[in-house]
Amino acid sequence: MNPMDFFNQKKDGGFPFNQAGTHFSPEYLNQIKTMVKQYNSVMTDDFWGDLNGLTGSYKKEKVIQMLPIEIWENKDYLYLSIIVPGLEGLKDAKLFFQNDQVLILKINSPSYKPAGAEILLRSETPQQMYERQIQLEKPVKTTDYSSSYQGGILTYTFAKIQKSWNDQANSQNELEIPFDF
């Protein structure tokens, strides 16, 4: 359907905002919603590329700059693995704890330059300081952890906080009172 057909269907033959009064009916708002959908379906990146004579070469690539993680555990430890290709060493990764289950990971992820290369033509890897907040499933000791980097995978090993039987019994007896502000 041609987007202009929408306007030609109107009783008054004009732009839909020419309707008198300030009250808009649900039918009228649905017509506006339909018009916006039609506009967005036509005015895509391909349309603007064709309009500017950039057919075929005008395509914005969406690059998601995300460092994927995996969290593993055993009886005593929690393991956080982050896929980070090209780190020069552990000095490029910093870890900050907000509490025993929330941490902030900051990674300086540089570009990997092969020997003999001179000019970077294209990169889809993050080349800046990358920051991510990570929620751990279990509380850990914030002063008892180690890190390693091998094969593009950065791994942190955290000692879990082991609750004693008394701690578990006391936590079951605690009463949480929510505050509503």
Side-chain angles (χ1 to χ4, degrees):
M1 177 177 179
N2 182 347
M4 294 309 293
D5 291 343
F6 175 82
F7 299 114
N8 295 332
Q9 292 175 4
K10 301 297 287 177
K11 293 177 187 170
D12 59 359
F15 190 72
F17 293 110
N18 291 341
Q19 184 175 4
T22 57
H23 176 71
F24 297 119
S25 69
E27 178 186 329
Y28 180 71
L29 292 175
N30 280 330
Q31 289 175 346
I32 291 174
K33 182 179 175 182
T34 302
M35 178 186 68
V36 170
K37 282 183 180 180
Q38 290 172 349
Y39 173 84
N40 287 333
S41 70
V42 173
M43 303 300 176
T44 62
D45 284 345
D46 291 334
F47 168 81
W48 292 111
D50 291 342
L51 183 70
N52 292 312
L54 301 172
T55 306
S57 64
Y58 179 80
K59 289 198 176 190
K60 289 185 179 180
E61 293 185 26
K62 293 182 181 178
V63 178
I64 299 174
Q65 297 192 1
M66 182 179 95
L67 300 174
I69 67 167
E70 285 187 339
I71 300 175
W72 294 78
E73 76 171 319
N74 66 19
K75 179 182 167 222
D76 299 319
Y77 295 98
L78 207 66
Y79 302 91
L80 171 63
S81 298
I82 306 109
I83 300 173
V84 188
L87 273 188
E88 294 177 8
L90 292 174
K91 65 179 176 22
D92 291 327
K94 303 287 183 206
L95 194 63
F96 304 95
F97 287 93
Q98 288 186 337
N99 59 43
D100 61 3
Q101 280 189 268
V102 179
L103 58 91
I104 303 291
L105 181 65
K106 293 184 179 185
I107 295 179
N108 184 17
S109 182
S111 178
Y112 176 73
K113 181 180 174 185
E118 295 177 6
I119 300 171
L120 178 65
L121 300 176
R122 178 179 174 172
S123 177
E124 295 179 356
T125 59
Q127 297 175 20
Q128 74 275 351
M129 182 61 77
Y130 184 86
E131 183 175 321
R132 180 170 179 181
Q133 179 176 326
I134 299 171
Q135 173 78 35
L136 300 174
E137 279 69 14
K138 309 252 171 101
V140 297
K141 296 179 183 177
T142 59
T143 56
D144 188 9
Y145 67 92
S146 63
S147 58
S148 64
Y149 182 70
Q150 183 178 4
I153 299 176
L154 175 62
T155 302
Y156 287 97
T157 304
F158 304 104
K160 294 194 307 188
I161 294 176
Q162 302 295 332
K163 289 190 175 185
S164 68
W165 183 83
N166 285 340
D167 291 340
Q168 291 175 355
N170 289 339
S171 67
Q172 290 174 357
N173 293 333
E174 291 177 8
L175 176 64
E176 287 190 28
I177 301 172
F179 291 98
D180 189 18
F181 293 102

